[in-house]
Amino acid sequence: MFRPARGRGSLLQVYRVTGGSGDPCEVLVEDSKGLSSRDGYLRISLGAKDTTGCEIVYEIPDGETNGTAHAVGRLTVASDGSRWVLLGVGPAAEAKAVRTRMAAALGSFRPE
């Protein structure tokens, strides 16, 4: 996990998916299940990306900053078949910056 020095409420997390459904969108829904049951959770979008991945975008109250967090989670499949989730989170007021950081992370991600 990476949390910028300036950024309460901002982070980039990368982790390997070792179980779950073969459907990447189902994996992301299951992965966010604990959050989705909380008051104020709002799923903005969920959909397939590329031929093997999926992306979920949601907002949720952020107790750390007393604001709203904007999250973009992307499940991607590496050339060796391993599945990875990259999750970018930041203040909802900075949703465009969260998307920009995620694009950079996805563009440079090399699990091999």
Side-chain angles (χ1 to χ4, degrees):
M1 180 181 334
F2 169 73
R3 184 179 299 269
R6 70 160 187 85
R8 284 179 51 124
S10 295
L11 64 88
L12 175 64
Q13 186 176 18
V14 178
Y15 55 93
R16 189 173 182 169
V17 176
T18 58
S21 167
D23 180 318
C25 290
E26 285 181 26
V27 170
L28 289 177
V29 168
E30 184 64 30
D31 199 45
S32 64
K33 195 171 229 166
L35 295 174
S36 65
S37 65
R38 292 171 48 190
D39 286 341
Y41 174 91
L42 173 64
R43 182 189 302 165
I44 297 169
S45 64
L46 174 71
K49 294 292 179 181
D50 304 319
T51 58
T52 58
C54 187
E55 180 179 271
I56 189 168
V57 179
Y58 60 88
E59 291 187 350
I60 191 162
D62 182 1
E64 186 176 315
T65 64
N66 293 321
T68 301
H70 181 81
V72 178
R74 176 78 69 95
L75 186 145
T76 187
V77 179
S79 59
D80 67 359
S82 61
R83 299 183 300 168
W84 297 82
V85 172
L86 287 78
L87 176 67
V89 179
E94 298 175 16
K96 187 174 179 179
V98 173
R99 175 63 68 186
T100 299
R101 288 191 297 268
M102 276 297 293
L106 287 163
S108 64
F109 181 64
R110 305 286 182 268
E112 291 84 31

